Amino acid sequence: MEVLRPSLININGRIYRKNTIKEEQYEEEEEFSYMGPPESEELVEDETCDSYIIQETDKGYRCAIDVPSVLYKYIIGKKGETRRRLEMDTKTSINIPKQGVEGQIVITGSHKAAVSSALTRVEVLVDSFRRKQPFTHFLSFPLNDPKIQEGFLRFKDQVLQQCSQDHGVEGSIFQNPAKLHLTIGTLSLLNEMEVRKACEQLQECQTFIRDIADGKPLPLEVTGIEYMNDDPAMVDVLYAKVNVKDRSDKLQVIADRLVEHFVSVGLMVREWDRVKLHGTVMNTLFRKDSTVEDTGGAGRHTVSDREAFDARNILKKFGAYGFGEFELKNVLLSQRYSTDCTGYYSSAGSISFS
C-alpha cells in the first residue's frame, strides 16, 4: 500500500483510511483509522450513530451492536490485544459475548464521543472481515424445470459421445441437472438473524418484480452455449444462454434491481455494473471435487490446480443447442452446499412472479 494513496473504505457514507498493522497480529487482523468528523464533534442525547443508538445511562453512555458470533475473534484479536487497544484508545469498555453465543457487543464509556469513536472502529473491523467470509447464500433463478433437465442430459450424452476425445472433456465436469440455475448475487449471512433479514428484504422486492413481469411467469428459452475466457481450447466454464422468449430485457432488469436493492441494505457487495446471467453446464471445478457447486461467486474458489478442457468441438457442434423452454415462476434465496427434496438447493425464502 502506498503511504500517499491508502486504501479507503466507504461505510454508510463515511470514508475510512485502512492502515496495515506491522505488530503481532491475529490471523488477518488489520487496524483502521477514522477519517470522518473530529472527536470533538457534539453529539445530542440518544443520537443515532449510523444504525445504532448511543444511550445515556446513570454511569455514562452505552451502545449495543449486533455482530455475528463468527466475527467476535476479529474484535478480540490475538490474546485480546485488539479489544484492549480499542478500549485504551477510546477510553471505553467493550463487552463481547462468549464465542459461539449469538448476542450483542456492548460498548460503554463516560463520554458519548468516546463510545461513538469505539463504535465506528468496531464497525470498520466488522465490515472488513465480513467481506473475507465465504458466501453462504445466493439469490437464484432456478433452471431445474423437468424439460430443461431432460435437454441438459441429452446435451451431456451427445457431448460425451462426440467430444470425449477432446482434452479434459469427461463426465465429472458437467453440472448436476437438478441444480441448474442462474446466480443473481451472493450473500454472506452469518447467523439466523441475518438470514431472516435477507428473507424480509426479498419480500420487499415482490412489488417491483411483479410490475416488471406483468404479474405472471416469464416464458424463457435456454438456447446456445458460450465460454468465459478468451481461448476456446482452454476453457474452465461453459454456460447456457437464457433469454426471455419475447426478447425483452425483463429478466436482466429484475436481476439488476434485486442486486441494487440488496446492495443498498448492506446484504450484498456489488461486483459488476450488470448481473452476468449464465447457466453453468460444465465447470472444471467439479473435476477435483464433486461436492463443489457453481454459484457464480467471484474469487471464492482456488483455481491454481484446475485443468481446463478443449471446448472447440463442443462449441462447433452444439453452439446453438436448444435445452428447452419453460416458465420462470420465482426467485429463491438459496443456501450454499445444500439439497432439498427435489435435488435443488434448500431455500431460505422465495417470491413469485405472479
Side-chain angles (χ1 to χ4, degrees):
M1 180 188 73
E2 294 185 36
V3 175
L4 297 180
R5 295 183 179 179
S7 300
L8 300 178
I9 298 177
N10 186 323
I11 299 180
N12 297 321
R14 294 184 174 186
I15 305 300
Y16 303 86
R17 181 178 62 242
K18 178 178 177 181
N19 299 322
T20 302
I21 289 292
K22 295 183 179 180
E23 62 188 70
E24 185 179 25
Q25 300 170 343
Y26 178 75
E27 293 186 357
E28 297 176 291
E29 184 187 335
E30 294 170 317
E31 171 73 354
F32 303 84
S33 58
Y34 178 40
M35 292 179 64
E39 291 191 9
S40 60
E41 180 176 320
E42 289 292 329
L43 297 174
V44 298
E45 184 173 347
D46 288 349
E47 179 184 348
T48 58
C49 184
D50 296 332
S51 57
Y52 297 101
I53 296 177
I54 299 176
Q55 299 173 322
E56 186 172 8
T57 68
D58 56 355
K59 296 182 179 179
Y61 294 88
R62 176 186 185 275
C63 183
I65 316 168
D66 293 313
V67 176
S69 62
V70 296
L71 299 178
Y72 293 167
K73 60 184 178 181
Y74 302 115
I75 301 168
I76 297 171
K78 188 174 183 179
K79 298 180 180 180
E81 175 60 29
T82 300
R83 174 164 59 180
R84 285 195 298 271
R85 187 168 61 246
L86 288 172
E87 291 176 330
M88 183 181 302
D89 290 349
T90 61
K91 295 180 175 59
T92 59
S93 176
I94 301 174
N95 184 40
I96 302 173
K98 292 182 179 180
Q99 190 65 40
V101 177
E102 296 296 338
Q104 292 184 315
I105 291 178
V106 178
I107 302 173
T108 56
S110 301
H111 303 284
K112 185 176 288 188
V115 173
S116 176
S117 177
L119 170 62
T120 295
R121 295 180 65 172
V122 169
E123 283 188 301
V124 174
L125 280 172
V126 168
D127 182 77
S128 174
F129 287 105
R130 172 184 289 279
R131 293 171 184 266
K132 298 179 182 179
Q133 303 303 306
F135 68 87
T136 60
H137 294 73
F138 59 102
L139 294 178
S140 71
F141 294 132
L143 300 181
N144 62 340
D145 182 272
K147 295 186 290 294
I148 304 303
Q149 290 195 53
E150 291 174 10
F152 170 79
L153 289 172
R154 287 194 300 271
F155 168 77
K156 178 180 178 180
D157 289 342
Q158 293 176 29
V159 168
L160 291 177
Q161 289 174 10
Q162 301 180 40
C163 305
S164 60
Q165 300 302 312
D166 296 337
H167 176 76
V169 177
E170 60 180 23
S172 67
I173 65 175
F174 285 82
Q175 173 68 285
N176 178 347
K179 292 192 171 181
L180 289 166
H181 67 278
L182 299 174
T183 296
I184 303 167
T186 60
L187 307 91
S188 293
L189 306 177
L190 304 181
N191 57 25
E192 286 302 316
M193 184 177 67
E194 293 189 351
V195 174
R196 288 196 299 271
K197 179 181 177 181
C199 291
E200 292 168 0
Q201 292 302 322
L202 183 59
Q203 292 302 316
E204 290 194 10
C205 299
Q206 181 86 74
T207 300
F208 77 70
I209 286 179
R210 288 181 176 175
D211 287 346
I212 296 170
D214 298 321
K216 55 188 178 182
L218 277 183
L220 302 182
E221 59 180 22
V222 185
T223 303
I225 55 174
E226 288 284 357
Y227 59 102
M228 283 201 165
N229 61 310
D230 297 329
D231 186 357
M234 296 289 289
V235 171
D236 281 316
V237 178
L238 201 67
Y239 64 93
K241 294 187 286 186
V242 182
N243 292 291
V244 183
K245 287 189 67 176
D246 63 7
R247 295 305 182 205
S248 69
D249 63 351
K250 291 179 180 178
L251 189 66
Q252 184 69 54
V253 172
I254 290 173
D256 290 340
R257 287 283 301 275
L258 281 165
V259 169
E260 180 181 341
H261 179 81
F262 275 78
V263 169
S264 71
V265 296
L267 287 173
M268 191 178 289
V269 177
R270 184 181 298 280
E271 296 179 348
W272 316 104
D273 292 336
R274 302 180 74 219
V275 178
K276 175 67 173 178
L277 292 173
H278 63 280
T280 298
V281 294
M282 299 172 71
N283 190 332
T284 57
L285 285 172
F286 304 151
R287 191 196 311 279
K288 295 294 182 182
D289 183 356
S290 61
T291 65
V292 169
E293 298 168 344
D294 181 276
T295 45
R300 300 296 190 185
H301 301 294
T302 300
V303 298
S304 58
D305 58 350
R306 292 175 71 166
E307 178 188 354
F309 65 96
D310 187 345
R312 288 175 293 183
N313 280 332
I314 299 176
L315 292 163
K316 181 178 179 180
K317 297 177 180 180
F318 302 97
Y321 181 85
F323 293 86
E325 300 177 357
F326 77 108
E327 288 190 336
L328 181 65
K329 300 177 181 179
N330 51 20
V331 180
L332 302 178
L333 175 60
S334 302
Q335 182 178 339
R336 194 182 187 191
Y337 300 130
S338 68
T339 304
D340 66 11
C341 61
T342 70
Y344 194 69
Y345 300 94
S346 299
S347 175
S350 67
I351 50 175
S352 65
F353 288 10
S354 58

